[in-house]
Amino acid sequence: MQSIGIVVIGRNEGNRLQECLLSVIKEARIVVYVDSGSTDNSVVLAKSLGVHVVELDLSIPFTAARARNKGFEYLVQVKPDIEFVQFVDGDCRIVEGWLKSAIHELNTQSDVVVVCGRRREEFPNNSIYNRLCDIEWDTPVGEALICGGDSMMRVTALKKVGGFNPTLIAGEEPELCVRLRQAGGKIWRIDAEMTLHNAQITRFRQWWKREIRNGHAYAEGAWLHGRSPERHWVRESLRSWFWGLFLPLLAIACILPTQGFSILLLFMAYASLAYRVYRFTLKRGYQSTDAILYSLFCVLEKFPKVQGQIKFHISRLFKQQRTIMEYKSATSA
């Protein structure tokens, strides 16, 4: 465990941050907390636990990518010979034993540069949106294309590609993984519990904003790497455009010629999509109620994701400053 450092990022995480830091300070010697302008007592809390604290410059727009880079830079300065870095979001807790499992994988497979495991929603029954997050994070074990915010990375590989892209307000981990794989590295998900996440998404509006953020990430990822051989997030972007905008506009345009039959066909198309997702979710081992919930929201998400893509392209065309999209509820410390 001497070869690993932890970088935690957060903003107004309250009690979630305390639980996060307590879960990592007992697992590693070096823990760096990067604060993105919290107005609660996050910085005071981190310092009281003996954690290294980096406070981001308030004059520069906050992004998770920028925070992770600053934490990583500080970590390397404190311990130049560090081999691995575990990134953790401040609303997550590291599961006991995860760090050893991840280090073992990196030591066993020299071409693997990122290791991730199973991130679970800690309170999936508190809201349907928390449950949706838990299902979404249940990705296949083995070689993967992308990782999430919680993952362990090989320091040499991260240095080689220049770290995260600090200008991205969303989707920074998948974008980093594209560059890591282009440099010859592999992303690997192992069959091990990694983190417990506390989303506290309790309102439909929060979920909608989260999906706008995801749509923005799709659009920016495709803009940056869509022309590469792997066509990063091009298919996902086109699906959102098709289901969330083009198809409903076509149905509306055809109302008069078809005497309203086009609207019926539109709903039949959505029902067909939901049924395919439902069947696939059942095959993954989920209960029917979860499969129904997940399939319905997989259809509904196409609309905020189109909104997010439009937001990105408008910002790009008019050279507007993009700011981070927050959707989580803060907790009191």
Side-chain angles (χ1 to χ4, degrees), residues 228-249:
S228 65
E230 65 181 35
R231 307 272 291 166
H232 178 58
W233 271 349
V234 170
R235 179 181 297 179
E236 291 82 356
S237 297
L238 291 177
R239 284 175 177 171
S240 296
W241 284 109
F242 177 78
W243 291 101
L245 186 63
F246 295 145
L247 196 63
L249 286 180

Side-chain angles (χ1 to χ4, degrees), residues 11 35 41 152-153 156 166 169 180-181 183 225 234 249 253 260 320 323-324 329:
R11 183 170 188 263
D35 188 81
N41 69 339
M152 185 180 292
M153 300 187 183
T156 53
I169 64 172
L180 286 170
R181 288 186 286 104
H225 300 289
V234 170
L249 286 180
Q320 298 173 348
T323 57
I324 193 168
S329 296

